[in-house]
Amino acid sequence: MRYAHGILIGAVLPGIIFLVTAAIRIAGIGADPSVVSALWGIYTIWFGASIALAILPLLIIYFLRRNIFREFLIFEAGGFGLFSPIWMFIATEISGNPWYSILTEKIVDGLVGFGPDGTLIGIDISNIFLIPVLAFSVIAGVIFLRPSFIAKYGYTGELPELVDLKKDSVAKGGESVDVEMPDVHAPEPTADSVASLRDILIEHGTTDPVINLILNSGIGTITDLAATSADQLATITGQGKREAEELLRAVQKKIWFSDI
């Protein structure tokens, strides 16, 4: 999944939830009791629909594209964490109250729950409870949406291209590419290899933030970087696929012609 697409999904879902909520509250301003009662019924329905709206995309991805489920889950959780407070402030402002009022006053009937008699009732949200929740939400969102975090925890299993390569090799009677080679070991990152990798990236004109994202993702040698796909590198750095391909070509040329 492209990084920008994941960010967009994570930002839009809470926006829909809070803006519709704001529209319901705006409709109740100055309305007579019968209209307010009807709007409360609509709000309870929307409250349940909001939960379904957050869960439904996860279920769809789980059953249709399970290979990207973990990545999608991180994007959605991070998006809700980072953008929900922003949308909440916007919804409060357009509802007729100052955006900061939710930090100084409680939110009346912000949640829906069951009363002692089993009927649905509104539950107030105290600002004392809300402030730390919003702060934690933003911090968690920033952490989840870091490209290095997504690259480390968002991918599960093998790349589809590698799986297809294995199947094709076995189907043609060749040996599986998983055959153990005890005398061959993957290159281990060292201070020198990291320094060499950094030099090549700087020579290519790569900015320090992108270099740090690459190194923090676990890529510590030039060989590791050259073996990374453009899609993976784009996810790690947050760049477009074209920029990632150009960087990989520069690294590969450096490897091929380094002794000439």
Side-chain angles (χ1 to χ4, degrees):
M1 176 183 294
R2 290 291 298 275
Y3 186 75
H5 293 165
I7 292 290
L8 181 63
I9 292 172
V12 168
L13 287 178
I16 294 173
I17 292 173
F18 284 106
L19 291 181
V20 173
T21 301
I24 296 173
R25 290 186 176 274
I26 291 172
I29 297 176
D32 57 62
S34 61
V35 174
V36 172
S37 177
L39 289 174
W40 169 249
I42 294 174
Y43 179 72
T44 58
I45 295 173
W46 177 244
F47 186 84
S50 299
I51 298 175
L53 182 63
I55 296 176
L56 184 60
L58 293 173
L59 294 177
I60 294 174
I61 293 297
Y62 181 79
F63 288 108
L64 298 183
R65 295 287 302 278
R66 190 171 301 185
N67 60 312
I68 65 169
F69 173 75
R70 187 184 298 178
E71 182 182 2
F72 187 88
L73 176 62
I74 293 175
F75 272 121
E76 183 171 328
F80 268 88
L82 180 60
F83 295 104
S84 287
I86 298 174
W87 285 116
M88 186 179 293
F89 291 140
I90 294 174
T92 302
E93 187 72 31
I94 65 178
S95 297
N97 297 315
W99 65 269
Y100 54 82
S101 63
I102 60 177
L103 303 178
T104 59
E105 304 171 7
K106 65 181 179 181
I107 299 178
V108 179
D109 295 340
L111 300 176
V112 177
F114 290 99
D117 57 353
T119 59
L120 292 176
I121 61 172
I123 302 175
D124 297 341
I125 305 176
S126 169
N127 62 314
I128 298 176
F129 170 78
L130 185 62
I131 291 174
V133 169
L134 292 179
F136 175 79
S137 174
V138 172
I139 294 172
V142 170
I143 293 174
F144 284 3
L145 294 180
R146 289 177 58 206
S148 57
F149 183 91
I150 296 171
K152 184 175 182 180
Y153 298 104
Y155 184 75
T156 178
E158 294 180 303
L159 288 172
E161 294 84 355
L162 182 57
V163 174
D164 293 339
L165 177 62
K166 288 183 178 181
K167 291 180 179 179
D168 185 62
S169 175
V170 174
K172 292 180 179 179
E175 294 185 356
S176 170
V177 295
D178 282 334
V179 175
E180 293 186 2
M181 294 181 289
D183 296 330
V184 179
H185 303 281
E188 292 291 337
T190 63
D192 291 337
S193 69
V194 172
S196 298
L197 177 57
R198 183 182 291 274
D199 290 341
I200 288 181
L201 293 173
I202 293 175
E203 181 181 336
H204 178 68
T206 308
T207 60
D208 285 340
V210 174
I211 293 175
N212 291 333
L213 288 174
I214 292 174
L215 297 178
N216 291 338
S217 70
I219 298 175
T221 67
I222 298 174
T223 305
D224 287 342
L225 181 58
T228 304
S229 70
D231 288 331
Q232 285 179 305
L233 188 59
T235 300
I236 292 171
T237 61
Q239 296 177 314
K241 185 176 180 180
R242 183 175 180 180
E243 290 83 354
E245 289 174 343
E246 291 177 354
L247 176 56
L248 288 175
R249 279 197 295 268
V251 172
Q252 290 165 354
K253 288 180 180 178
K254 186 71 175 180
I255 294 175
W256 294 336
F257 303 116
S258 59
D259 295 330
I260 296 178

